[in-house]
Amino acid sequence: GHVVRNWKVRWFVLLQDKLLYYKIEGGKKEPSPKGRILLDGCTITCPCLEYENRPLLIKLKTKTNTDYFLECCSREERDSWALDITGAIHAGHPVQVQELHRMKNSFKLLENISLHHIVETMCDSSTGIKLTRNLEQGNRYKETFTGSALVDWLISNSFAVSRFEAVTLASMLMEENFIKPVGARSTEATRYSDLSEQFLDDSTALYMFAESSKKKISSKEELQFNISELRGTIVKQGFLVKQGHKRKNWKVRRFVLRADPAFLHYYDPTKEENRPVGGFSLRGCLVSALEDNGVPAGVKGNVQGNLFKIITKNDIHYYIQASSKAERAQWIEAIKPLT
């Protein structure tokens, strides 16, 4: 309401250039609508996170700077209304309407997106995601957020343009151990082998920041890390696919092989900072090609072939895929003299 700031149920009718609202369902017995919102020059915000306890809001700002806050009954209904209202706002511009539907049905993450930057923004005390206490099946969880709340936050902060894109981005955050599921609902979903089904855009699925995302490395420690491991001469570098140690899924990584000291580091190509996400000394390692007939024990998921394995002196097994047998042979030949 504009005079009394309370919330009232209204029946809305969307026309080509205006949004009408009635007091009675269907507008029956009412000679005229209770009010109207002219859509010409309007801007729409969805999701609107201005009210912490009302996650299903759409905000309309008219060209005269009047704000309307509309609350829907579900996220699906909210997003459907937002899409149709946006189409009506741009009705006189068919190219914009076509682009709107293309964005809704397409998937394209921002180039060079930094997951570290997203997490830092999420942790910001003023603009970050709100952490709350939640109750699930009799268990209380502190400092958590729901899956749907994270999806809304990613869209609201322009890290994603659609819910599908936001879910994929949230899945990447979980895959890289920035966030983790808590409670039965979200934990159960991680049992799916398909990454796209592991994160839930659901108001009953709970998540929290993983401990690893809170650990800050001091500049002194980082300098020592760089001096001790990254001072070697680069012998070979290129993109390979590596199996993760925890989730056993496959990720594209840029590998850099260095000599004196002999180290193999791998980098996440989606992150802006030029800092390895992992690496190990090659001294005492064993490297060997794996036959393509059959999947060896310890290897799961989508295996395309051209596999090779590196076993460190601490008995840690790394499974890596090259794009061809020739490329696999080149990497093995480059690594062997440094072990």
Side-chain angles (χ1 to χ4, degrees):
H2 288 292
V3 180
V4 181
R5 298 290 183 176
N6 53 0
W7 295 86
K8 309 165 188 173
V9 176
R10 293 290 181 257
W11 178 266
F12 279 81
V13 177
L14 176 62
L15 303 181
Q16 186 172 2
D17 60 344
K18 65 178 72 73
L19 191 60
L20 307 179
Y21 53 94
Y22 297 83
K23 189 174 181 179
I24 301 174
E25 181 178 333
K28 296 176 181 178
K29 299 180 181 179
E30 291 185 72
S32 61
K34 187 78 175 175
R36 69 189 70 217
I37 304 171
L38 299 179
L39 298 177
D40 180 40
C42 267
T43 58
I44 183 170
T45 303
C46 180
C48 172
L49 304 182
E50 291 189 27
Y51 288 85
E52 185 177 339
N53 62 336
R54 294 183 180 273
L56 303 178
L57 288 184
I58 296 171
K59 178 182 177 180
L60 285 175
K61 180 183 283 291
T62 68
K63 63 181 180 181
T64 58
N65 290 324
T66 302
D67 291 339
Y68 290 88
F69 293 93
L70 315 177
E71 184 173 34
C72 300
C73 298
S74 67
R75 282 177 169 79
E76 293 76 16
E77 187 180 63
R78 179 197 65 186
D79 295 343
S80 177
W81 271 99
L83 183 67
D84 290 337
I85 292 172
T86 306
I89 291 173
H90 300 304
H93 307 278
V95 175
Q96 287 181 287
V97 176
Q98 186 177 5
E99 178 67 11
L100 175 72
H101 285 276
R102 186 195 67 78
M103 287 175 60
K104 177 178 179 289
N105 298 313
S106 67
F107 171 67
K108 184 181 180 182
L109 281 175
L110 298 174
E111 294 183 5
N112 300 321
I113 195 163
S114 169
L115 298 183
H116 279 286
H117 173 61
I118 292 175
V119 173
E120 286 177 2
T121 310
M122 286 176 66
C123 293
D124 188 274
S125 58
S126 58
T127 60
I129 192 165
K130 303 299 180 184
L131 301 180
T132 59
R133 292 186 178 186
N134 285 282
L135 180 67
E136 184 194 48
Q137 296 183 357
N139 296 317
R140 292 185 180 277
Y141 300 97
K142 297 179 180 179
E143 296 188 329
T144 60
F145 48 87
T146 66
S148 54
L150 177 55
V151 170
D152 284 350
W153 184 89
L154 289 169
I155 297 172
S156 179
N157 285 271
S158 302
F159 289 116
V161 297
S162 68
R163 300 196 77 78
F164 175 70
E165 187 171 317
V167 167
T168 304
L169 197 52
S171 299
M172 292 170 64
L173 290 171
M174 190 167 66
E175 179 188 9
E176 296 298 335
N177 203 33
F178 286 109
I179 63 174
K180 65 179 183 180
V182 290
R185 182 83 173 86
S186 57
T187 304
E188 178 69 21
T190 61
R191 298 181 182 179
Y192 289 105
S193 58
D194 186 358
L195 180 63
S196 64
E197 297 177 333
Q198 290 184 1
F199 181 86
L200 299 178
D201 179 8
D202 193 303
S203 59
T204 63
L206 302 181
Y207 299 88
M208 66 187 304
F209 289 110
E211 287 300 319
S212 60
S213 68
K214 299 179 182 178
K215 294 178 181 177
K216 303 295 182 181
I217 300 173
S218 70
S219 58
K220 184 177 179 181
E221 290 173 332
E222 188 170 348
L223 183 63
Q224 291 173 347
F225 172 83
N226 290 336
I227 291 174
S228 63
E229 297 185 15
L230 304 179
R231 67 186 179 190
T233 304
I234 296 178
V235 176
K236 185 176 177 60
Q237 59 181 316
F239 289 96
L240 297 166
V241 183
K242 172 187 165 295
Q243 180 178 259
H245 289 293
K246 292 182 178 180
R247 299 188 182 280
K248 304 300 182 184
N249 48 0
W250 294 89
K251 312 170 205 176
V252 176
R253 293 291 182 253
R254 180 172 64 87
F255 280 80
V256 177
L257 177 63
R258 292 181 172 89
D260 194 27
F263 272 86
L264 183 62
H265 292 100
Y266 48 93
Y267 299 74
D268 186 344
T270 67
K271 294 178 180 176
E272 294 176 359
E273 64 270 13
N274 190 32
R275 188 175 183 279
V277 295
F280 51 91
S281 171
L282 290 172
R283 294 303 179 193
C285 284
L286 297 174
V287 57
S288 61
L290 297 176
E291 296 300 327
D292 293 338
N293 53 343
V295 179
V299 176
K300 297 181 180 180
N302 186 20
V303 180
Q304 302 295 330
N306 307 313
L307 276 170
F308 65 99
K309 177 172 69 173
I310 301 175
I311 305 175
T312 70
K313 63 180 180 180
N314 296 326
D315 199 32
I316 299 174
H317 293 225
Y318 289 86
Y319 294 98
I320 303 169
Q321 296 186 56
S323 61
S324 65
K325 288 187 176 180
E327 184 184 43
R328 177 177 66 179
Q330 291 170 7
W331 274 99
I332 292 175
E333 290 173 9
I335 291 171
K336 273 187 175 179
L338 302 176
T339 59

